[in-house]
Amino acid sequence: MSRIALAVHGGAGTISRELLTPSREKAYKEALELALRRGHAVLERGGAALDAVEVAVRALEDTPLFNAGRGSVFNADGQHEMDASLMNGSDLRAGAVAGVQNVKNPIGLARRVMDHSSHVLISGMGAFEFAHQQKVELEDDEYFFDEFRYQQWKEVVGSDTVQLDHADKEKKFGTVGAVALDAAGHLAAATSTGGMTNKKWQRVGDSPIIGAGTYANDESCAVSCTGHGESFIRAVAAHDVHALMAYKGLSLEEAVRVVVHEKLPPLDGDGGLIAIDRAGNIVLDFNCPGMYRGHVGNDAVYHTAIFR
Ligand code: ASP
């Protein structure tokens, strides 16, 4: 069988070992593994990398453990505004949504933008209208309510503090993403997030920005990022991994190292990324204490980890 591979992440940041109880750690790892299983099943039956990353990210959006979909953080108005994007490496098609509310699976809406609109990125009320038109599943505010997130928000509401979900010592969840290589040799990447707690003015992070938080190109690699979005946008982080491989001939591992450990830190770019190349090599790297992550290859052995 041709090489197939899939990696997922559930955010990177300051994850304190002391506060991660064995039962919570187990819950995170199980959630990551479930996403891997769903995506891997698609790849095993010869499905497309694009379908695999969408399915894996949906699974992560459906758990309140991560800052995406159901578990999205609160913005300054006490609401949830979600961003998501995905990209197909064989033809560079991409779809993205920013600042969407009440959409159960923003990654599914991003996929519809790719497949059923002539646009790449749509936002806010327009995206909501599109969601209606496409009859995607919607949920009321209650569905997105999470006591942890609410307390996180209460600590900073009314201030100018914007915080990375997983930068908080006690509550650290994160943006989710997936990258995959399918049996036909194609790559794809997907990322979904609730953004940053207490974000204002319809702030949009790197996750829905093609080239910043998400990028896929069969020539080189597929990448999904997590971390301080403003820095990842300025570093054009995901595309930079591709560029270092395509124009400079670096290996995936080396290209990721340069971006994560050399380019992002001077821009206060705490975080990490997951990446995969055409040969099925997987790199999961971060410049902060931890990143929720997992990967699987042809052997169907599921690997998950949080710390280094
Ligand atoms: N990158 C995301 C953002 O800035 C946050 C995260 O990775 O958790 O919106």
Side-chain angles (χ1 to χ4, degrees), residues 67 83 164 166 174-175 193 195-196 203 205-207 226-230:
N67 171 22
D83 303 333
L164 257 190
H166 33 70
T175 289
T193 189
M196 288 167 87
R203 176 264 188 193
D206 60 314
S207 308
T226 173
H228 196 266
E230 279 69 6

Side-chain angles (χ1 to χ4, degrees), residues 32 195 301:
L32 291 166
V301 177

Side-chain angles (χ1 to χ4, degrees), residues 19-36:
L19 295 165
L20 192 68
T21 60
S23 69
R24 286 195 80 77
E25 181 168 349
K26 189 164 168 273
Y28 282 115
K29 289 189 169 170
E30 279 173 3
L32 291 166
E33 188 174 319
L34 176 71
L36 287 172

Side-chain angles (χ1 to χ4, degrees), residues 2 12 52 54 68 70 128 131 162 182 212 222 230 239 289:
S2 324
E54 182 187 342
R70 182 167 200 174
F128 192 61
V162 186
D182 65 28
E230 279 69 6
H239 184 269

